[in-house]
Each structure stands twice: as structure tokens, then as C-alpha cells.
Amino acid sequence: MAGDGCLLVMVIDVHPQIAEHEINVQNYFNACISFANIHLAASVKNTLAVIAANHLETRFLYPQTADEKVDHQKDGRLELLGQVDEDIEKELRSMIMHYSKAAQTESLLSGALGRALLYIKRQEVENILGKKIHARILVIKISIDTGSQYLNYINTYLTAQKISTPIDVCVIGSDCGLLQQGADISGGYYHCVPEVSELLQSLILMYQADVVTRKKLNVPPPDTVDYRAACFCHRTLVDMGNVCSNCLSVYCKAVPLCTTCNVIFQTDRPLMKIVKKKK
Ligand SMILES: [Zn+2]
Ligand SMILES: [Zn+2]
């Protein structure tokens, strides 16, 4: 696997929430960019794509659409890596600065995941040798989340599973049940780091190796996965709910009508007692 190189698609959360602490922003960007560099430097055949998401948009940061020519060597670094640093950091900063005063809603990570999967698929279709490429996705998430993108997430997870693309997830701060499900479904790795300062260390230790090599490493055992579903009425994760018998939509309380498939539930009908006939 290592001989063929690997396409790493990084999905980076740049919610304005992180701009509250400047030191965190710098550490966060440095960790993401350093990890991108490590991946490219590990093998000449490795390739990279970076997609960022905030609460308003998702943006392709690398590779840029316009074919920019790589500048001459500046400070002894590899030209490619210098270009990667420049492209990514400039765009990340612009995404965080523009909307720093916006209302704090959730980052559009599920959309970015969809774009990542499409990018991988396109690379595969455009591959001249028609070979299946080894690709994986790494989501780095920092902001809080709700269940509002539940269905979009589940759809991307099932797609990733179908095209055998693992989704690795590294969350900073508090756990994220929805992304944990994604890592579990697609065969990726999920980890939560408490502080931004520990991000790079965790990325290098746990996410640098490809999926095959990872099995030989002594990584911390995975946590139990939070498999709660989000209800279709309030988009909150529920422990117990009502399920539509027609389309399997989940509701946190009894409703007269399924809003997804318009089936009417006859909840007022008294429950029939099934009496076994004696012979
Ligand atoms: Zn509900
Ligand atoms: Zn239904």
C-alpha cells in the first residue's frame, strides 16, 4: 500500500469560535499545516487535498483550481511544501476573519465530507491506469455541534463505507457522537484531544500511519461508540424514540403524522388484545 502512495483529504473546521483565542488559532493552523507537510514529505507518491468548512461555506484550499506555478525556492524548503503552507494558511485566515462576529451556528462539515468523497471519486475516474487509489479522509473538528446535519452525515458515512474510504476524526475539546459514528462505520479512527496544544502530537502519533500499518501500532483502544440517532423533529440525539414503521424516521415523542413520508399514525386506537384461541 505504501508503495502506491496515499491521497489524504483533510477536512478542517474553521468555525469563528476558535478565533476567541489567538494563541489557539496559531497552534491550530500550525498543527494542520504541519501534518499536511508530513504527509507529503513521507512519500513522493503521496497526494493531498484540503477542504475547510465554517458555518457559512465549504472551501477547497488545496489544490487550488487555477493551476498556479510553484514559485522558486525561498528558504531551502521544498517548493511544494512552501506552496502548500502559503495556500492553506492564507485561505484559513480569510475564512476565520471574515465572519468572526457572525452568529454561532454549526460548521458545514457534512458538506465538506461530501466534497471530499467526490474529489476522491474524481481522482479515481481520472486515473490513467484505472487503478483504485488509496485514499483516506481526516476530519479535524474544534467547534460544538448539534444533530442538525444528522442525515447528511449518515449519507456520507455510508458512501465512504461503500467506496472503502476510511474517515479519521480528531476532535478538540468535547466528544462528538456523530463523527464518532462516522469513524466507526467507515473503518477510520476516532480520537478526542483536550487541548489545541496537543493536536499535532496526536495527529502524528495516530493519524500519520495508513490503515494497514495502524493495525500493527499500539494505539489507545477505541471508546464505546455513541450510536444515538437524532430525532427528525428537533435534531437532538435521543436515547429512546418513536420510529415510523414505514420509513424509519425517528421522533423523540409521539406524533400524529410522519413528516417524512406523510403516514398517519393511529395512536388513539385502543390496543387490541391478542387472545389465543383454545382448541
Ligand atoms: Zn424531537
Ligand atoms: Zn415515515
Side-chain angles (χ1 to χ4, degrees), residues 57-123:
E57 60 165 332
T58 62
R59 201 185 287 183
F60 235 100
L61 308 190
Y62 183 87
Q64 299 277 350
T65 37
D67 275 40
E68 294 171 32
K69 280 285 144 249
V70 176
D71 289 341
H72 57 88
Q73 198 171 15
K74 282 175 193 156
D75 50 4
R77 277 185 304 177
L78 213 62
E79 292 92 333
L80 173 69
L81 299 189
Q83 191 67 39
V84 168
D85 294 4
E86 225 170 73
D87 284 353
I88 299 177
E89 180 153 11
K90 193 178 68 196
E91 293 282 329
L92 282 179
R93 286 223 164 259
S94 81
M95 278 181 85
I96 212 168
M97 290 312 162
H98 274 302
Y99 313 109
S100 53
K101 288 199 175 66
Q104 310 266 306
T105 44
E106 200 176 341
S107 285
L108 302 169
L109 282 178
S110 60
L113 273 172
R115 290 185 79 180
L117 288 168
L118 283 171
Y119 181 78
I120 291 168
K121 197 70 206 162
R122 200 178 80 200
Q123 295 303 307

Side-chain angles (χ1 to χ4, degrees), residues 231-236 238 251-253:
C231 69
F232 283 46
C233 34
H234 309 91
R235 304 287 176 196
T236 47
V238 288
Y251 298 93
C252 61
K253 55 181 191 298

Side-chain angles (χ1 to χ4, degrees), residues 1-273:
M1 181 174 258
D4 290 340
C6 176
L7 165 62
L8 172 71
V9 185
M10 292 175 74
V11 173
I12 303 174
D13 179 16
V14 278
H15 195 276
Q17 204 177 313
I18 53 168
E20 287 162 14
H21 305 286
E22 177 54 33
I23 177 121
N24 277 357
V25 176
Q26 202 51 56
N27 279 340
Y28 184 65
F29 288 176
N30 285 348
C32 295
I33 295 167
S34 302
F35 188 73
N37 278 221
I38 290 167
H39 173 76
L40 286 177
S43 162
V44 280
K45 289 181 180 170
N46 279 357
T47 44
L48 174 78
V50 180
I51 304 166
N54 62 15
H55 60 301
L56 295 175
E57 60 165 332
T58 62
R59 201 185 287 183
F60 235 100
L61 308 190
Y62 183 87
Q64 299 277 350
T65 37
D67 275 40
E68 294 171 32
K69 280 285 144 249
V70 176
D71 289 341
H72 57 88
Q73 198 171 15
K74 282 175 193 156
D75 50 4
R77 277 185 304 177
L78 213 62
E79 292 92 333
L80 173 69
L81 299 189
Q83 191 67 39
V84 168
D85 294 4
E86 225 170 73
D87 284 353
I88 299 177
E89 180 153 11
K90 193 178 68 196
E91 293 282 329
L92 282 179
R93 286 223 164 259
S94 81
M95 278 181 85
I96 212 168
M97 290 312 162
H98 274 302
Y99 313 109
S100 53
K101 288 199 175 66
Q104 310 266 306
T105 44
E106 200 176 341
S107 285
L108 302 169
L109 282 178
S110 60
L113 273 172
R115 290 185 79 180
L117 288 168
L118 283 171
Y119 181 78
I120 291 168
K121 197 70 206 162
R122 200 178 80 200
Q123 295 303 307
E124 213 163 86
V125 170
E126 288 174 358
N127 190 321
I128 340 160
L129 298 173
K131 278 204 297 186
K132 166 132 184 63
I133 54 166
H134 298 294
R136 60 195 170 101
I137 298 174
L138 170 66
V139 184
I140 303 173
K141 181 177 166 65
I142 196 162
S143 60
I144 42 104
D145 78 322
T146 59
S148 63
Q149 299 169 58
Y150 177 72
L151 270 188
N152 304 359
Y153 272 127
I154 296 295
N155 283 335
T156 53
Y157 298 159
L158 296 177
T159 311
Q161 188 191 44
K162 197 168 181 188
I163 63 169
S164 322
T165 303
I167 301 177
D168 293 323
V169 181
C170 191
V171 182
I172 300 136
S174 51
D175 267 314
C176 173
L178 273 179
L179 285 171
Q180 196 177 12
Q181 293 181 16
D184 195 56
I185 292 171
S186 64
Y189 196 75
Y190 172 89
H191 185 65
C192 178
V193 290
E195 295 282 334
V196 176
S197 54
E198 293 168 35
L199 177 62
L200 182 58
Q201 183 189 331
S202 301
L203 288 177
I204 296 172
L205 283 174
M206 286 186 275
Y207 297 94
Q208 207 236 320
D210 61 42
V211 181
V212 176
T213 320
R214 226 176 270 175
K215 286 178 188 148
K216 295 168 189 158
L217 298 176
N218 198 10
V219 289
D223 303 328
T224 45
V225 184
D226 176 6
Y227 260 115
R228 283 180 302 166
C231 69
F232 283 46
C233 34
H234 309 91
R235 304 287 176 196
T236 47
L237 297 178
V238 288
D239 288 317
M240 214 186 268
N242 296 290
V243 178
C244 169
S245 52
N246 189 38
C247 69
L248 302 181
S249 296
V250 179
Y251 298 93
C252 61
K253 55 181 191 298
V255 284
L257 177 97
C258 174
T259 49
T260 313
C261 67
N262 293 328
V263 153
I264 298 164
F265 303 126
Q266 294 179 321
T267 45
D268 53 340
R269 195 174 58 181
L271 290 169
M272 301 274 274
K273 213 174 189 178

